[in-house]
Amino acid sequence: MTKSKKISNIKANNAEKVRDFYNKNTDNFIKVYGEIIQAFRTTNVDEYLDYTIKSANLKAGERALDAGCGVCGPATYFAKKIQDIQIEACTVSDAQAEKGQVNVEKNNLNAKINITLADYHNIRDVYGKDQFDIVYFLESFGHSTQKNILIDACWEVLKPGGRLYIKDLFKRISEDEWEQLRINQICRDIEIGYEYDIANLSGVLDKIRSKGFILNFVKVPEVDLSQFEHLTISNDFQNLFNIAKIESWDDYVFPIDFFEILAIKPAISNLDNMHLYFMNK
Ligand SMILES: C[S@@+](CC[C@H](N)C(=O)[O-])C[C@H]1O[C@@H](n2cnc3c(N)ncnc32)[C@H](O)[C@@H]1O
């Protein structure tokens, strides 16, 4: 492939469009979702956040980067529950940063949460190298149109031994050509409605692994089905505000899967120290 072809394939960064989307819609999100802006959740969302703490293995004394923090609903919950955790919360939306700050102050969490208005693709410049025990994305990673650059940036800001945790929606795949076509069309509607770029799971995993992360797990969030909220909040949101509204259920195909990914930046170079590989785990 020629160099110019390669460059033209790079998707433009959509951070400004995402900022405008959340500046315009955050109040509406709060009306329907409350302070946790995640579609995949339990009816009592606190239970989902408790699950997240366990699954991402958030621990006392850690320094965490909440990449795409919304209005700090998750960050304030984690900071109240976990002793001595320090959370750098980053959002691209000034409206969210302001509301997040009010939320942090209301909960007296100034000492534990610091909000930065920034594009998460620039975290290396904003926070520096080897800073975090964990970088986590809660339904925020998929907004990026430059996912490889974003994963590179996570690698840079993570300490050796640090964790990358992504919970998000990924495009479903089907061996049926017609079904795949419908999946692609419906995903496109979601992407246009939400300024999203729904990730392709295998592409993200390939990037994570080729970067040198150790893939710890990929799984569907393990919530009790009786507690699962069944995406009714996101359907209500779409109907109320006419964002990616499903106009007809004829030919409708469920277009996405939700997954959690946990990957570890090796504490030692697994290339130089192949024989020590398992000491990392
Ligand atoms: C669906 S909301 C999830 C918010 C939050 N994680 C939660 O659980 O409530 C997506 C978040 O990703 C953030 N985001 C998207 N693209 C971003 C970017 N380029 N830089 C920083 N934040 C971004 C948005 O500002 C928004 O806060």
Side-chain angles (χ1 to χ4, degrees):
M1 190 183 285
T2 64
K3 203 172 178 194
S4 59
K5 184 99 178 272
K6 221 172 163 185
I7 289 168
S8 69
N9 280 343
I10 296 175
K11 287 189 190 173
N13 185 336
N14 64 337
E16 287 182 9
K17 288 186 184 160
V18 176
R19 178 199 62 201
D20 295 346
F21 172 78
Y22 281 107
N23 282 350
K24 181 167 167 226
N25 291 302
T26 289
D27 283 338
N28 291 341
F29 272 109
I30 292 172
K31 272 185 212 147
V32 182
Y33 282 81
E35 288 170 356
I36 312 299
I37 310 173
Q38 293 180 51
F40 189 107
R41 60 205 278 158
T42 45
T43 316
N44 172 355
V45 77
D46 287 357
E47 286 175 16
Y48 192 77
L49 296 174
D50 287 336
Y51 170 78
T52 306
I53 291 175
K54 239 175 53 196
S55 196
N57 197 15
L58 291 172
K59 291 188 289 290
E62 289 197 318
R63 183 156 191 246
L65 173 57
D66 184 335
C69 64
V71 293
C72 285
T76 50
Y77 189 85
F78 300 153
K80 278 193 257 178
K81 282 240 155 166
I82 304 170
Q83 219 191 345
D84 295 332
I85 194 164
Q86 288 291 327
I87 303 178
E88 289 291 340
C90 158
T91 173
V92 75
S93 151
D94 18 314
Q96 289 189 337
E98 276 169 32
K99 287 182 200 304
Q101 192 56 44
V102 171
N103 203 1
V104 167
E105 277 163 28
K106 188 178 76 194
N107 286 288
N108 250 326
L109 289 168
N110 276 313
K112 293 179 99 175
I113 302 174
N114 180 50
I115 302 175
T116 304
L117 178 62
D119 174 358
Y120 55 34
H121 298 91
N122 300 331
I123 49 179
R124 166 72 173 84
D125 295 338
V126 174
Y127 301 105
K129 208 170 148 42
D130 298 349
Q131 292 294 315
F132 295 102
D133 299 292
I134 180 165
V135 177
Y136 64 82
F137 293 84
L138 306 178
E139 295 192 23
S140 52
F141 179 81
H143 276 294
S144 170
T145 49
Q146 296 182 314
K147 293 181 173 59
N148 288 353
I149 291 174
L150 185 54
I151 291 168
D152 288 340
C154 292
W155 176 275
E156 289 291 307
V157 300
L158 279 169
K159 298 175 187 171
R163 312 183 304 284
L164 170 64
Y165 174 83
I166 299 170
K167 178 255 193 166
D168 217 323
L169 43 110
F170 294 81
K171 189 183 273 196
R172 262 194 60 221
I173 52 174
S174 169
E175 61 181 10
D176 181 293
E177 211 179 313
W178 177 86
E179 193 177 23
Q180 189 64 58
L181 214 69
R182 283 299 289 142
I183 289 169
N184 295 348
Q185 287 169 340
I186 297 169
C187 280
R188 196 65 207 121
D189 292 340
I190 296 172
E191 291 178 331
I192 293 167
Y194 287 91
E195 286 301 339
Y196 229 70
D197 185 45
I198 302 173
N200 165 320
L201 180 65
S202 47
V204 172
L205 294 180
D206 280 355
K207 173 63 190 180
I208 286 173
R209 295 178 63 220
S210 60
K211 186 73 195 169
F213 282 102
I214 299 168
L215 185 60
N216 197 282
F217 65 67
V218 183
K219 63 184 180 184
V220 176
E222 292 171 319
V223 301
D224 181 346
L225 262 191
S226 67
Q227 308 303 319
F228 182 50
E229 193 269 349
H230 293 289
L231 309 179
T232 48
I233 289 183
S234 49
N235 286 338
D236 289 351
F237 179 81
Q238 294 182 178
N239 290 335
L240 259 170
F241 302 110
N242 207 8
I243 290 176
K245 186 173 170 181
I246 299 163
E247 298 292 352
S248 161
W249 292 94
D250 293 344
D251 293 345
Y252 183 75
V253 175
F254 197 71
I256 53 169
D257 288 316
F258 286 90
F259 291 113
E260 300 168 273
I261 300 172
L262 184 73
I264 298 167
K265 175 176 171 176
I268 51 171
S269 160
N270 51 358
L271 290 178
D272 299 344
N273 298 285
M274 287 300 239
H275 59 297
L276 299 176
Y277 179 83
F278 288 102
M279 286 176 65
N280 265 320
K281 296 197 168 181

